[in-house]
Amino acid sequence: MRAQLFVLLVVVSSVQALTPYHGKLIHSGWGAIVDHGLTGDTYAVNENTIQIIGFSYDGNPPGGVFLLGTDKKYSAVTGAATRDPTATIIANPDGNFQALGRYDNENITLRLPPGQVLTDYTYISVWCRNFTVYFGGFDIPEGFVSPKPQNIGPLTHRAHAVYSGDVTIIDDKTISILNLRYDGQGPDAFFYVGVTDSVTTQVAPYGKIPDENGDSGVISGYAGKNITITLPDNLSFTQLKWFSLYCILFTQNFGEVFIPENLNVPPALDVAAASTTAGVTTTTMAAPVMNCEPLSNKLQISWAVEDNSIAFELAGTIDRETDYMAFGLSGSDSTFQMRNADVVVGYWKSGETAKAVDYYITSYAQCAPNGGACPDTSVSNGGANDITNIEGQFSEGVLRIKYKRSLTTGDSRDKEYKISGPGQHIVWAIGPLNSNDETAKHYPSAGRISIAKTIQFGRDMVNNCPELAVKTTVAPIPDFKPHHLYGTQDSTVFTLEIGQAGSTQGYLALTGIQSWGIAWYVNGILIPELHLKRGVSYTFRVGGGTDSNNGARYHPLYFTNDIKGGFLQTQGSTETIYEGTVDGVSQQYATGGYCEWKLTEAAVQATLSGKVYQTFEEFKQDMYLDCDNSSHYTDFIFTPDSSTPDLIYYQVSLIQIKYNWCLLLLCYGKCS
């Protein structure tokens, strides 16, 4: 008992001694010779952000700025009567280039210029531009390594089918787990952290932590989900030794990952700012007063015009691990139109940080070499990414991404943001990312303008946005069950048309891969597994479109050994195509008139209102087949033989990678 009490006292003592984590220390103080009351310790937050803890400066004489050298040592410039010509003035904590005022034991955050990293510089100083003198400074250590998210490997599998992909510590408060699997059968299982050398029961404040939704109850199962977990305010991964799934009742470890010593990850800035000691105030970059318009109950856009540029904040209630949000100028000056729209796509790159990417949409299709919804820097667009000053924050289910661009960029793929004249038509969307971290088809409930349709970007400041609703836990949506079709001597004809992919219930649940929003329907069934017999000729009646200039309505059928597909994009480097015949002539693929299974308008409205289909059969009842005037099916004859592998795939596109593949099993009879 006495030994147990001793351990408890040691743990409590270590908690009391914990100091806030600010990042990696660059330098303590401001050099041997300082002037004007300079004090403070300087830390790297990440490769382009620093913070100074306990910064003091008397502000006299006016003209003090932060000056960073790019070539010389600080000792080589301190005695100079002029400014180091290789040095760069960086923005002050308010985000502008005005002279520093008075600071009294404050914590401040500084951002480096866009595209610059800390190792581009050799020293940090406070310099007076009025009198061209240095008030204090120091060298950045050679070989300095800035904090960054750290991959610490997958969870160890020990019990209850616990597996995962990469586990990444994003910052000292945040951990990302990819492809988490757990059967949910543990009676008292929690996410659990500790400070002991092995995984065992802990004493508070260590032990169980909230799940990805902030819930503190027993965790349920996971079937390959990507999640992000945030530690409580009184914990930091820099003080912990491991993270696990742990059953408290039976003291069983289901799977763990150990945390390296001397962890060099970014601090969670919003938490670090709140963790200051008594008498110390905190200053971060002040956000400008911004206009705001709600785009729906899930998405808002804020903006402020700054000289010849415009700053935005896009905020959305989305799934941080899988979704994107997009906003921009319509492809038409008179209406809402996605085609030819100029948008910015924002998302959170798992294990890294916020992303904001310049897009130009040439057609309503997934990005490919011949166009679609593509980044400006893609082969098809040939433009530039003109988005800068990207920052992001995720809290309580709301992702906020700040970014900036010039009103006029000179890029042919960018439209001009006008600050005079009538309002400009806008477009927006929320949808899933595909496996390339590019946009897939937006969700139906998020793809229509419900509030704002035009915006006058030069107007006087007006904030029309309510608080975004916090994302709440919802009941799980049932997955559609897989279907099987068997090719026998008496059943050799399969009709293929394009149809709705069924969102997360359908294609994603059946394959584990995100689709653009459409997939093959075979004999009216969403991507069934086909079981065929060698030596039998099968007729595939293809109705996926023939217009190769319209990627949204051009879907050749072909058979391949590659799960990814995209033969033309990869130039066949990893694929073998199994040919068929059309009218007796050998062909690698077949195209036919366009037919699509679509939801009725009433069904679309029902899904917008939250309707959830329990089965594919129920989903199919609300659909109808729509064929264009040129609809005539092409018969593609395919005969598997002894050289055909047991497992190949039927694909919906020669261009898009991972674009709606499905399983084809080739057997000498019925496959088990």
Side-chain angles (χ1 to χ4, degrees):
M1 180 68 184
R2 292 179 62 186
Q4 292 176 340
L5 178 60
F6 174 76
V7 172
L8 174 62
L9 291 174
V10 170
V11 171
V12 171
S13 175
S14 67
V15 174
Q16 292 172 340
L18 179 68
T19 56
Y21 177 71
H22 303 297
K24 184 172 182 179
L25 181 67
I26 302 173
H27 195 273
S28 182
W30 284 86
I33 302 176
V34 297
D35 203 354
H36 296 282
L38 273 179
T39 62
D41 297 333
T42 305
Y43 294 82
V45 173
N46 52 43
E47 65 179 7
N48 48 36
T49 308
I50 61 177
Q51 61 175 336
I52 306 174
I53 304 302
F55 181 63
S56 294
Y57 168 59
D58 65 13
N60 263 322
V65 293
F66 289 105
L67 185 71
L68 275 61
T70 58
D71 182 46
K72 301 177 180 179
K73 295 286 188 179
Y74 180 67
S75 58
V77 300
T78 52
T82 59
R83 169 184 164 180
D84 173 8
T86 69
T88 300
I89 295 174
I90 65 169
N92 63 28
D94 293 323
N96 59 55
F97 293 90
Q98 296 178 3
L100 298 172
R102 180 182 178 85
Y103 292 84
D104 186 10
N105 198 26
E106 301 184 27
N107 297 349
I108 63 174
T109 302
L110 304 172
R111 317 283 180 179
L112 301 183
Q116 298 295 300
V117 296
L118 192 59
T119 52
D120 292 332
Y121 299 96
T122 56
Y123 67 82
I124 299 173
S125 71
V126 174
W127 176 78
C128 180
R129 57 188 171 193
N130 288 353
F131 293 93
T132 64
V133 294
Y134 290 86
F135 294 156
F138 50 85
D139 291 328
I140 298 171
E142 292 185 8
F144 185 85
V145 178
S146 298
K148 64 180 181 179
Q150 186 166 343
N151 183 341
I152 58 174
L155 287 167
T156 301
H157 164 64
R158 299 197 182 277
H160 284 290
V162 169
Y163 294 94
S164 80
D166 288 342
V167 177
T168 301
I169 298 179
I170 298 172
D171 57 44
D172 81 300
K173 308 289 289 184
T174 312
I175 192 168
S176 165
I177 304 104
L178 299 183
N179 194 30
L180 176 62
R181 296 183 180 274
Y182 161 55
D183 65 12
Q185 299 304 303
D188 194 35
F190 299 89
F191 293 113
Y192 209 76
V193 296
V195 294
T196 52
D197 291 335
S198 61
V199 179
T200 186
T201 301
Q202 301 291 293
V203 176
Y206 311 113
K208 66 180 181 180
I209 60 174
D211 66 14
E212 73 275 16
N213 298 312
D215 296 333
S216 298
V218 174
I219 59 176
S220 55
Y222 294 90
K225 185 178 181 182
N226 299 338
I227 66 171
T228 300
I229 294 174
T230 302
L231 290 176
D233 290 345
N234 59 345
L235 294 178
S236 167
F237 281 110
T238 59
Q239 74 187 101
L240 300 175
K241 291 189 175 181
W242 45 262
F243 168 91
S244 73
L245 270 74
Y246 189 80
C247 181
I248 296 176
L249 181 63
F250 291 99
T251 64
Q252 290 296 312
N253 172 27
F254 296 163
E256 87 290 332
V257 62
F258 283 92
I259 299 168
E261 294 182 4
N262 303 316
L263 197 64
N264 186 21
V265 296
L269 270 184
D270 53 336
V271 176
S275 302
T276 53
T277 56
V280 179
T281 58
T282 300
T283 303
T284 57
M285 289 184 64
V289 177
M290 303 184 88
N291 291 277
C292 189
E293 288 292 338
L295 304 173
S296 75
N297 61 347
K298 293 183 178 181
L299 195 63
Q300 298 175 354
I301 187 68
S302 303
W303 75 94
V305 176
E306 303 172 359
D307 297 325
N308 294 320
S309 63
I310 184 167
F312 290 99
E313 180 181 279
L314 188 59
T317 305
I318 68 171
D319 189 322
R320 166 175 160 170
E321 301 300 332
T322 61
D323 290 351
Y324 68 84
M325 50 188 183
F327 171 81
L329 295 177
S330 171
S332 168
D333 292 335
S334 58
T335 188
F336 174 90
Q337 178 180 299
M338 282 291 189
R339 189 181 179 94
N340 298 323
D342 170 24
V343 303
V344 169
V345 173
Y347 62 95
W348 191 274
K349 177 67 173 175
S350 184
E352 294 185 20
T353 185
K355 301 289 185 181
V357 183
D358 211 350
Y359 267 64
Y360 185 78
I361 303 172
T362 59
S363 67
Y364 196 63
Q366 188 167 248
C367 185
N370 64 344
C374 295
D376 281 15
T377 55
S378 65
V379 172
S380 60
N381 280 332
N385 185 12
D386 295 295
I387 307 305
T388 64
N389 297 68
I390 302 167
E391 300 178 32
Q393 178 186 13
F394 185 84
S395 177
E396 297 185 318
V398 178
L399 177 61
R400 299 179 183 275
I401 296 182
K402 296 179 180 180
Y403 59 93
K404 184 184 290 188
R405 59 152 276 187
S406 298
L407 295 172
T408 303
T409 67
D411 189 333
S412 63
R413 291 310 196 187
D414 290 338
K415 296 179 180 294
E416 179 185 1
Y417 280 92
K418 300 176 181 178
I419 59 175
S420 61
Q424 293 177 273
H425 285 269
I426 59 173
V427 294
W428 65 271
I430 295 174
L433 291 164
N434 66 17
S435 58
N436 296 326
D437 287 333
E438 294 176 346
T439 58
K441 184 179 180 181
H442 60 67
Y443 299 127
S445 59
R448 299 182 176 190
I449 291 292
S450 57
I451 301 176
K453 296 183 180 179
T454 63
I455 289 179
Q456 211 298 315
F457 291 99
R459 75 185 191 191
D460 293 336
M461 196 285 291
V462 179
N463 186 339
N464 291 321
C465 292
E467 287 293 323
L468 273 173
V470 174
K471 190 173 183 180
T472 56
T473 303
V474 298
I477 297 174
D479 295 339
F480 293 163
K481 303 301 181 184
H483 288 74
H484 302 262
L485 295 179
Y486 295 90
T488 65
Q489 296 286 0
D490 301 321
S491 178
T492 61
V493 179
F494 299 99
T495 301
L496 285 83
E497 296 123 353
I498 296 300
Q500 301 294 305
S503 190
T504 57
Q505 294 177 272
Y507 185 88
L508 180 59
L510 293 168
T511 67
I513 292 178
Q514 190 60 251
S515 82
W516 172 246
I518 58 174
W520 280 125
Y521 278 53
V522 183
N523 293 355
I525 298 173
L526 173 64
I527 55 170
E529 295 182 3
L530 304 182
H531 301 250
L532 308 184
K533 189 173 183 179
R534 289 182 173 85
V536 176
S537 293
Y538 296 91
T539 300
F540 290 84
R541 305 192 67 227
V542 183
T546 59
D547 184 2
S548 61
N549 293 319
N550 184 355
R553 296 170 67 86
Y554 180 64
H555 309 292
L557 170 71
Y558 75 102
F559 302 102
T560 174
N561 66 336
D562 193 335
I563 196 173
K564 293 182 179 181
F567 182 78
L568 295 183
Q569 185 168 342
T570 62
Q571 298 182 345
S573 59
T574 61
E575 280 193 83
T576 298
I577 287 184
Y578 303 95
E579 294 185 350
T581 62
V582 176
D583 296 331
V585 179
S586 293
Q587 302 276 8
Q588 288 188 320
Y589 61 91
T591 61
Y594 189 78
C595 287
E596 180 178 350
W597 288 97
K598 296 180 177 179
L599 285 172
T600 66
E601 185 60 30
V604 171
Q605 294 303 319
T607 58
L608 292 176
S609 300
K611 179 177 180 178
V612 175
Y613 292 97
Q614 299 302 308
T615 65
F616 170 72
E617 288 72 22
E618 182 185 348
F619 181 61
K620 180 70 180 302
Q621 288 177 358
D622 279 351
M623 303 179 80
Y624 66 97
L625 186 62
D626 181 27
C627 295
D628 63 23
N629 293 330
S630 64
S631 63
H632 60 278
Y633 296 94
T634 295
D635 289 345
F636 190 42
I637 312 301
F638 178 65
T639 307
D641 58 26
S642 60
S643 66
T644 310
D646 289 341
L647 173 61
I648 64 175
Y649 305 91
Y650 61 97
Q651 292 280 0
V652 75
S653 176
L654 287 163
I655 300 174
Q656 280 86 3
I657 293 177
K658 286 191 177 180
Y659 193 76
N660 304 313
W661 59 271
C662 278
L663 191 65
L664 174 60
L665 296 174
L666 300 167
C667 310
Y668 281 103
K670 184 175 179 179
C671 297
S672 58

